[in-house]
Amino acid sequence: MKFPRTHLSLPRTLGAAAAVVSLAFLTACGAPGSSGGGGGSTSTGGSSLAACEAVPGDELVVLQDDKQLQTVDNIIPAINAAAVEGDDTLIPLLDSVSAALDTDTLIGLNKAVDVDRRTSKEVAEEFVADAGLDNPEQSGSGKIVVGAADFAESATLGTIYATVLNAAGYDAEVTTIGNREAYLPALEDGKQVQVIPEYVGTLTEFINKDVNGADAEPVASSDLDATVEGLTGLGEQVGLVFGEPSPAQDQNAFAVTKAFADENGLATLSDLAEACGGLVLGGPPECTERPFCQPGLEETYGLEFAEFRSLDAGGPLTKAALQQGEVTLGLVFSSDGSLTPTS
């Protein structure tokens, strides 16, 4: 499961304020190796690995989760089952969008909106044209309302869906319906909204807990095929069907500066574990307890942390701390527009 998304669509004024707050916060934190003003620290004990000093830099890169600590969260079209009855076109059109997206492309879309301050509509229409999705072979008809959550990535993806559907002859529009607690019932009902861009792992566990109770055994995992199979079965119970998952993911990820990765020859979290001890980890306060955050990094990868800095979940504090060399490794979201694509 992902930490809540809070980093997208910061207005210019809020972004500037966040930068000021981050500077003040980091000043209060002290130098690497200090108590950090919150969060525990883990001693490297008798490790033979040398501590690797953080390297400041503006460019941030995600280290590959090569041992699959995180649950998959690929983008997937979620559709009201009644909306596709007698319609053989809707899902294939949405699948064409999935096929055109990968994580680097999603980073670029988010950068265009969140960093370059372009509108989701402008960015979506440009993507559809560049990907050759504006003249589909399939044709359809009827009104389709595409729902979107209240953050920029969802709005852009929803607008891409609607643009492709309109090009195929549908009367499609996008409406923003808050968070998952608000929009999923509307999708299941099918009267207000019929399609929503979703996230495989997060949606699977949301429906799982709704159907099977808060203490239900997890269905989502790092296995995409198995998670989609579980999601499909759960969807049948609430009146939803799904298109193909996209290669694009928006999941928890761990970033370093590109300068640090280059200096130490890093591409994966395993590379980091083999090269460096005495690391300083930055993330939300609950990272020290979540199995996919600090405990998972220690147990799955054997990473050794000298300190944990309590910051935020993939937001301006964590990214500023990385860029300024205050932390070595920070929790981010894998499709964040401020990241440097991996290819």
Side-chain angles (χ1 to χ4, degrees):
M1 296 290 289
K2 286 193 304 209
F3 284 105
R5 298 182 59 93
T6 58
H7 66 294
L8 295 179
S9 299
L10 281 176
R12 288 183 185 274
T13 53
L14 288 180
V20 171
V21 171
S22 69
L23 286 171
F25 185 94
L26 293 173
T27 301
C29 283
S34 69
S35 63
S41 64
T42 302
S43 172
T44 57
S47 170
S48 60
L49 291 175
C52 292
E53 294 294 329
V55 181
D58 291 336
E59 293 186 76
L60 304 180
V61 294
V62 165
L63 296 182
Q64 181 186 344
D65 180 18
D66 53 306
K67 293 186 177 180
Q68 298 183 317
L69 171 63
Q70 304 299 326
T71 297
V72 292
D73 246 339
N74 300 63
I75 310 298
I76 193 169
I79 308 119
N80 177 271
V84 297
E85 291 179 1
D87 186 339
D88 297 328
T89 303
L90 183 60
I91 290 180
L93 285 168
L94 297 173
D95 287 347
S96 71
V97 175
S98 291
L101 287 170
D102 59 23
T103 302
D104 282 352
T105 300
L106 191 56
I107 289 172
L109 294 172
N110 287 333
K111 177 181 181 297
V113 176
D114 298 325
V115 178
D116 301 335
R117 315 310 301 174
R118 299 172 64 194
T119 67
S120 287
K121 184 175 187 295
E122 179 185 6
V123 171
E125 290 176 349
E126 181 177 90
F127 167 79
V128 169
D130 289 347
L133 300 176
D134 55 345
N135 188 26
E137 295 180 1
Q138 306 100 323
S139 61
S141 61
K143 184 172 180 60
I144 296 291
V145 179
V146 179
D150 55 359
F151 58 93
E153 179 176 284
S154 185
T156 302
L157 291 168
T159 306
I160 290 171
Y161 284 178
T163 303
V164 170
L165 294 177
N166 281 323
Y170 289 90
D171 176 13
E173 63 180 55
V174 181
T175 185
T176 300
I177 318 179
N179 59 17
R180 190 171 283 104
E181 286 80 2
Y183 69 66
L184 194 60
L187 181 64
E188 292 171 356
D189 178 70
K191 295 177 182 177
Q192 185 179 1
V193 62
Q194 293 80 48
V195 175
I196 287 179
E198 260 291 1
Y199 302 87
V200 169
T202 300
L203 181 61
T204 297
E205 289 311 312
F206 192 94
I207 300 176
N208 184 31
K209 292 181 185 301
D210 185 49
V211 170
N212 298 314
D215 297 326
E217 285 293 315
V219 175
S221 70
S222 60
D223 185 323
L224 177 60
D225 291 340
T227 303
V228 171
E229 182 179 353
L231 175 61
T232 301
L234 289 165
E236 290 174 356
Q237 299 182 60
V238 295
L240 299 182
V241 295
F242 306 94
E244 290 294 320
S246 169
Q249 289 209 66
D250 181 354
Q251 64 180 163
N252 296 315
F254 291 92
V256 298
T257 62
K258 186 176 185 299
F260 180 85
D262 291 345
E263 181 173 301
N264 293 283
L266 308 178
T268 69
L269 287 169
S270 290
D271 292 341
L272 179 62
E274 292 171 2
C276 295
L279 301 168
V280 180
L281 174 64
E286 58 268 39
C287 177
T288 57
E289 300 176 355
R290 296 288 179 89
F292 52 80
C293 207
Q294 183 174 344
L297 291 170
E298 291 170 339
E299 294 167 14
T300 301
Y301 287 98
L303 284 166
E304 299 172 349
F305 297 107
E307 182 191 346
F308 173 73
R309 293 281 179 91
S310 180
L311 299 169
D312 55 16
L317 295 179
T318 299
K319 289 182 283 189
L322 283 165
Q323 291 167 332
Q324 296 168 18
E326 297 288 340
V327 301
T328 323
L329 185 71
L331 184 136
V332 298
F333 297 111
S334 62
S335 62
D336 193 304
S338 66
L339 296 173
T340 298
T342 55
S343 61

